[in-house]
């Protein structure tokens, strides 16, 4: 489908000029609308021409053609039907968005009855109604260039090995007068967005020059792992691109090995269905990451009998890499130096255009600050400042204020430092798999495992490691179903709900049944699978007693291999517990007298030896009990003796003693 804008200068000697009177103008526009509709019906409905705006001696027209045709001939015949002759007309191909703007102008000027009705003639009305709803953009090819120019550009883009032979093949065939179909479509593997764009523009220019596509307009569809399944809008988009091309660019957060679970399966299948359906009317170019085999396989499996020519960036080494960098320096009118050459010399590495562009950009930025504008020599880059920046957010401050928790704080510091290093890898053009951040928290009750998990989720969000940063706490009852087959679905639903957050599974070993193969094992197997599927934007934390957690991890080897960090939560010392008690009391507007502090430490020393000691929970309960004892003491005092100081002070007698150990009864024989 092709869209045109036509500027026509009217021969007023053979027809009346455009009226300026409001009433006459509306009647004039209505007459043109009726004649346009009649003309559309009489010429087999293969194209639609309409007036959009007018001046005294000129009229702007729009045109929509289902396929390539002699636009000038069709327009002059249409103009004659309107009762006008043109002294001159300028015809230019435009995008759908520009054509829709002309339709809107025509609708407001009464030259058509309804813009949506016109689009419905061509079955693309949903594309007009939802422009911008789908992530796509349009562009027009520049004026055709010569074969020699295109081959030279392919060489400069470092795509000579695959692109140049294809350009030669395109020019070897006889230019088609009428597009009958596409013998091949294309798969372009490239990481650099701008390089990718330059390569497919060279390819499209060669195809257009040889009649393989007859529209200069092409559409770019971009989607990723988060995209929803395409609807009828994608088919309308393909229909609007008949005689032209659609570029499908898949941008996924997957590692170079492509080892992740296959992403976006439904979206890929639906897009491929449309591409296959229109394969002889619309050229498709797939743009995929350079090194991601699973994504490529997903497309190939859904493209049926479609033939694909694969294009890719060349890998160049020292000499060619230096020449490429020097060519970039020449384009920027700056002299290359040894520092630039040193980035690729004697490395033994191969480089693609995206790598060399990044190297050059870093060098050029530095050159601007140090040589071209030396007054900015001391200026630090944003990335350098970010690298030195401390973790941000109130959650990290709250964690740092907490007593103890040395190992937990160290793990969170490692996670944040890892995030910075990942950004450095990306900036330097090194693709790395993001390792899973799943964790195991082991410790006795009251050691702040749940509190740290909540803060960890918030910290991850504050520092860009998680998108939501909520905490979803679940146990066996929330994960195990009543009947066979229920558990897997329940677990998947919990993982879906916790996407972008932390899923905290407390007392995880309670999932394990006494016998293998029961519901708990179904839950664990599903958890292992979902941990891998959701590794990029989710953290699973298992928590429980140390010895039981060890048994739990031994139950499923796949589970242990997916745990990145093991975080022990040690029992608090008596001094740490006393500090926690001080903080709790302070939060309640209370403080301990000196004698009370000494008794507090003695009580905590003894309580720590009790079985099932609750650590922080015990301290919290102890402070609450001290408040109760204080209340009893204050109630027995004279009213005038009670003041602000006595109300806020906990005394030695307010601190309750720990419960005594129960001595097991001694069994005696006889009476």
């Amino acid at each position: 489908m092709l869209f045109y804008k036509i500027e026509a200068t009217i021969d007023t000697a053979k027809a009346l000029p455009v009226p300026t009177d409001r009433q006459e103008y509306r009647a004039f526009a209505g007459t043109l609308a009726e004649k346009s509709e009649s003309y559309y019906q009489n010429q087999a409905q293969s194209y639609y021409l309409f007036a959009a705006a007018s001046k005294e001696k000129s009229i702007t027209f729009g045109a929509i053609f289902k396929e390539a045709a002699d636009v000038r001939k069709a327009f002059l015949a249409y103009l004659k039907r309107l009762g006008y002759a043109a002294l001159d007309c300028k015809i230019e191909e435009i995008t759908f968005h520009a054509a829709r703007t002309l339709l809107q102008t025509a609708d407001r000027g009464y030259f058509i009855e309804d813009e949506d009705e016109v689009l419905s003639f061509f079955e693309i009305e949903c594309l007009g109604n939802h422009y911008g709803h789908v992530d796509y953009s349009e562009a027009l090819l520049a004026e055709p260039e010569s074969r020699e120019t295109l081959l030279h550009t392919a060489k400069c883009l470092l795509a000579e090995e695959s692109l140049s032979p294809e350009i030669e093949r395109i020019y070897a065939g006889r230019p088609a007068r009428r597009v009958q179909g596409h013998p091949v479509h294309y798969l372009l593997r490239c990481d650099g967005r701008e390089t990718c764009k330059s390569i497919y523009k060279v390819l499209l220019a060669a195809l257009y020059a040889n009649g393989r596509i007859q529209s200069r307009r092409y559409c770019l569809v971009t989607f990723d792992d988060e995209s929803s399944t395409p609807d009828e809008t994608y088919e309308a988009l393909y229909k609007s691109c008949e005689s032209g091309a659609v570029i499908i660019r898949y941008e996924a957060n997957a590692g170079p090995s492509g080892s992740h679970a296959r992403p976006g399966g439904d979206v890929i299948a639906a897009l491929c269905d449309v591409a296959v359906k229109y394969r002889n009317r619309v050229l498709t170019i797939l743009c995929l990451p350079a090194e991601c085999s699973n994504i490529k396989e997903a497309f190939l499996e859904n493209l049926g009998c479609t033939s694909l020519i694969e294009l890719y960036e060349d890998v160049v080494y020292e000499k060619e890499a230096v020449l490429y960098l020097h060519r970039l320096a020449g384009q920027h009118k700056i002299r290359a130096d040894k520092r630039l050459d040193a980035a690729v010399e004697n490395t033994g590495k191969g480089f693609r255009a995206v790598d060399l562009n990044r190297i050059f950009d870093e060098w050029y930025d530095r050159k601007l600050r140090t040589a071209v504008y030396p007054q900015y020599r001391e200026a630090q880059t944003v990335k350098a400042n970010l690298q030195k920046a401390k973790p941000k957010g109130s959650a990290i401050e709250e964690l740092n204020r907490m007593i103890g928790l040395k190992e937990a704080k160290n793990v969170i510091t490692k996670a944040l430092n890892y995030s910075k290093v990942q950004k450095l890898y990306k900036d330097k053009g090194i693709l790395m798999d993001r390792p899973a951040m799943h964790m195991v928290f082991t410790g006795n009750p009251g050691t702040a495992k749940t509190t740290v998990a909540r803060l960890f989720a918030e910290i991850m969000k504050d520092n860009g490691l998680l998108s939501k940063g909520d905490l979803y706490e679940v146990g066996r009852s929330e994960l195990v179903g009543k009947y066979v087959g229920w558990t897997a679905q329940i677990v998947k639903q919990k993982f879906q709900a916790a996407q972008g957050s932390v899923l905290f599974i407390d007392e995880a070993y309670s999932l394990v049944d006494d016998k293998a193969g029961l519901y708990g094992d179904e839950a664990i197997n599903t958890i292992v699978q979902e941990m891998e599927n959701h590794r990029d934007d989710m953290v699973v934390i298992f928590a429980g007693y140390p010895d039981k957690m060890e048994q739990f991890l031994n139950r499923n080897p796949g589970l242990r291999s997916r745990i990145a960090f093991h975080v022990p939560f040690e029992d608090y010392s008596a001094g740490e517990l006393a500090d926690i008690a001080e903080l709790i009391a302070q939060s309640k507007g209370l403080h301990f007298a000196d004698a009370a502090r000494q008794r507090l430490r003695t009580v905590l020393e003894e309580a720590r030896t009790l079985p099932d000691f609750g650590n922080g929970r015990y301290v919290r309960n102890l402070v609450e009990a001290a408040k109760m004892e204080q209340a009893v003491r204050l109630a027995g005092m004279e009213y005038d003796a009670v003041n602000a100081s006595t109300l806020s002070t906990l005394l030695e007698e307010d601190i309750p003693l720990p419960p005594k150990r129960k001595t097991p009864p001694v069994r005696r024989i006889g009476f």
Side-chain angles (χ1 to χ4, degrees):
M1 201 168 294
L2 299 99
F3 306 94
Y4 296 95
K5 178 182 178 181
I6 306 169
E7 298 280 358
T9 303
I10 302 301
D11 186 354
T12 54
K14 297 181 180 180
L16 293 174
V18 177
T20 56
D21 179 78
R22 183 179 180 86
Q23 292 285 35
E24 292 179 1
Y25 182 87
R26 184 158 183 173
F28 159 77
T31 300
L32 292 191
E34 291 176 4
K35 290 182 178 181
S36 296
E37 179 67 20
S38 174
Y39 189 79
Y40 168 72
Q41 298 295 339
N42 290 334
Q43 47 76 31
Q45 302 179 355
S46 61
Y47 58 88
Y48 188 88
L49 285 148
F50 60 94
S54 63
K55 297 179 182 179
E56 185 177 358
K57 294 184 179 182
S58 67
I59 303 177
T60 300
F61 295 88
I64 304 175
F65 282 73
K66 285 186 177 179
E67 56 187 29
D70 189 334
V71 180
R72 180 177 294 274
K73 180 179 179 181
F75 172 69
L76 293 177
Y78 162 75
L79 200 61
K80 183 177 180 180
R81 176 71 179 81
L82 296 182
Y84 286 95
L87 294 174
D88 182 38
C89 64
K90 178 184 177 184
I91 302 172
E92 62 174 319
E93 187 176 356
I94 58 176
T95 64
F96 165 75
H97 183 50
R100 184 177 176 227
T101 301
L102 284 178
L103 283 170
Q104 292 171 338
T105 303
D107 195 340
R108 290 194 296 269
Y110 307 105
F111 289 107
I112 60 174
E113 291 187 5
D114 185 358
E115 60 170 299
D116 289 335
E117 184 178 344
V118 174
L119 294 177
S120 71
F121 294 161
F122 299 91
E123 299 179 317
I124 58 173
E125 65 274 17
C126 67
L127 190 64
N129 293 336
H130 298 286
Y131 190 90
H133 174 68
V134 180
D135 188 6
Y136 81 93
S137 59
E138 304 172 273
L140 293 171
L141 291 171
E143 291 301 318
E145 295 178 321
S146 67
R147 168 180 164 273
E148 290 72 21
T149 300
L150 295 177
L151 288 171
H152 176 71
T153 304
K155 181 178 181 180
C156 293
L157 289 172
L158 298 187
E160 189 176 17
E161 184 175 330
S162 61
L163 182 56
S164 294
E166 181 56 23
I167 293 173
E168 297 284 15
R169 274 192 294 267
I170 292 170
Y171 275 89
R174 292 182 61 186
R177 292 182 179 275
R178 185 182 180 89
V179 175
Q180 300 294 330
H182 296 289
V184 295
H185 297 263
Y186 297 91
L187 189 156
L188 172 55
R189 294 188 291 108
C190 181
D191 288 324
R193 180 177 290 193
E194 289 302 315
T195 302
C196 181
K197 181 179 178 181
S198 298
I199 291 174
Y200 67 64
K201 284 174 67 176
V202 168
L203 176 65
L204 291 174
L207 292 167
Y208 181 75
N210 288 272
R212 293 266 292 274
I213 55 174
Q214 295 189 325
S215 172
R216 291 170 52 221
R217 170 179 173 265
Y218 62 91
C219 283
L220 172 64
V221 181
T222 303
F223 73 105
D224 56 25
D225 299 348
E226 304 299 323
S227 299
S228 59
T229 303
D231 56 12
E232 71 277 2
T233 311
Y234 280 84
E235 180 156 359
L237 183 64
Y238 257 82
K239 189 179 290 292
S240 78
C241 288
E242 292 186 29
S243 300
V246 170
I247 318 296
I248 298 176
R249 182 170 62 210
Y250 186 91
E251 296 182 339
N253 184 22
S257 65
S259 58
H260 294 185
R262 184 166 294 167
D266 292 340
V267 184
I268 290 173
L271 269 173
C272 288
D273 285 346
V274 179
V276 170
K277 181 178 179 179
Y278 287 85
R279 65 185 180 277
N280 287 323
R281 290 170 282 171
V282 180
L283 180 80
T284 296
I285 301 177
L286 301 176
C287 298
L288 307 183
E291 302 289 344
C292 209
S293 58
N294 268 6
I295 299 173
K296 176 182 172 181
E297 290 172 6
F299 275 100
L300 295 181
E301 288 175 3
N302 286 281
L303 284 173
C305 60
T306 305
S307 298
L308 288 176
I309 296 293
E310 193 165 327
L311 305 175
Y312 48 85
E313 294 177 277
D314 299 341
V315 177
V316 297
Y317 293 85
E318 184 174 327
K319 183 179 179 181
E320 292 83 359
V322 169
L323 289 174
Y324 183 88
L325 292 173
H326 282 225
R327 188 161 56 244
L328 289 179
Q331 293 171 3
H332 287 75
K333 298 184 177 4
I334 192 169
R335 180 176 295 181
D337 58 22
K338 293 182 179 179
R339 186 186 184 95
L340 180 60
D341 296 348
V344 295
E345 288 179 337
N346 302 317
T347 62
K349 291 174 55 179
F351 299 92
R352 296 195 300 266
V354 63
D355 306 315
L356 296 173
N357 288 339
R358 188 178 294 106
I359 289 170
F360 177 80
D361 288 343
E362 289 185 5
W363 173 85
Y364 187 62
D365 289 343
R366 180 182 177 84
K367 199 75 172 176
L368 286 175
R369 294 195 316 274
T370 58
V372 181
Y373 299 101
Q375 63 267 40
Y376 296 104
R377 185 183 300 272
E378 301 302 321
Q380 290 288 322
T381 64
V382 173
K383 292 186 181 300
N385 290 330
L386 287 176
Q387 185 180 349
K388 297 175 183 177
K390 294 181 179 179
K392 58 185 178 181
S394 59
I396 189 71
E397 295 174 1
E398 184 177 346
L399 177 65
N400 288 333
R401 286 195 300 267
M402 293 182 70
I403 306 301
L405 306 175
K406 180 179 179 181
E407 286 295 329
K409 294 174 182 177
N410 286 340
V411 167
I412 291 175
T413 300
K414 288 180 182 178
L416 296 176
N417 286 336
Y418 176 77
S419 174
K420 291 180 181 179
V421 173
Q422 284 299 102
K423 291 177 181 177
L424 285 177
Y425 277 124
K426 185 176 180 181
D427 293 340
K428 302 298 181 183
I430 302 173
L431 295 177
M432 297 289 288
D433 272 335
R434 172 178 171 173
M437 302 293 288
H438 307 309
M439 301 181 177
V440 166
F441 285 4
T442 56
N444 291 321
T447 49
K449 296 186 294 296
T450 305
T451 300
V452 170
R454 175 184 61 80
L455 292 174
F456 180 68
E458 294 179 21
I459 293 166
M460 295 280 278
K461 178 185 178 182
D462 291 342
N463 291 272
L465 297 174
L466 289 177
S467 59
K468 295 180 181 177
D470 297 323
L471 180 71
Y472 290 81
E473 185 175 358
V474 296
R476 178 186 170 89
S477 61
E478 287 90 7
L479 294 175
V480 177
K482 294 181 179 180
Y483 304 103
V484 174
W486 283 22
T487 297
Q489 291 302 318
I490 293 172
V491 171
K492 289 179 180 179
Q493 290 171 6
K494 295 297 182 183
F495 270 81
Q496 190 64 37
Q499 185 72 21
S501 297
V502 170
L503 183 66
F504 185 78
I505 304 177
D506 199 13
E507 297 185 354
Y509 36 76
S510 64
L511 293 170
V512 182
D513 296 305
D514 294 334
K515 298 180 180 179
L518 295 181
Y519 302 146
D521 290 295
E522 182 184 359
I524 295 172
N525 292 335
T526 309
I527 287 171
V528 171
Q529 176 186 344
E530 292 299 300
M531 287 170 69
E532 187 65 22
N533 292 343
H534 296 273
R535 60 183 289 162
D536 289 331
D537 191 27
M538 183 177 179
V539 175
V540 179
I541 298 178
F542 300 95
Y545 292 107
D547 53 345
K548 292 185 177 182
M549 285 303 302
E550 187 63 26
Q551 296 173 12
F552 170 68
L553 294 176
N554 289 335
R555 183 71 173 258
N556 190 311
L559 182 61
R560 183 185 290 276
S561 67
R562 286 166 174 79
I563 303 297
F565 298 100
H566 293 255
V567 187
F569 284 71
E570 303 291 343
D571 287 343
Y572 292 106
S573 66
E576 290 173 336
L577 292 169
D579 291 339
I580 293 172
E582 293 270 11
L583 289 176
I584 294 174
Q586 185 178 350
S587 69
K588 300 177 183 298
L590 301 170
H591 68 276
F592 293 96
D594 291 341
R597 288 193 181 92
Q598 294 177 5
R599 178 163 178 168
L600 176 66
R601 186 175 290 269
T602 301
V603 167
L604 291 173
E605 287 280 10
E606 184 176 346
R608 288 182 71 251
T609 64
L610 295 174
D612 298 325
F613 173 61
N615 282 285
R617 294 177 194 170
Y618 179 88
V619 173
R620 192 176 299 108
N621 293 335
L622 180 65
V623 174
E624 290 296 330
K627 281 182 61 181
M628 295 295 294
E629 292 294 334
Q630 180 204 39
V632 172
R633 174 172 57 79
L634 293 175
M637 293 175 61
E638 293 290 336
Y639 179 81
D640 292 338
V642 178
N643 54 37
S645 177
T646 55
L647 286 171
S648 62
T649 304
L650 295 173
L651 301 180
E652 180 181 7
E653 58 264 33
D654 297 331
I655 310 299
L657 296 173
K660 294 182 179 180
R661 290 191 181 87
K662 294 182 179 180
T663 305
V666 179
R667 287 187 170 273
R668 298 181 182 275
I669 299 176
F671 299 97

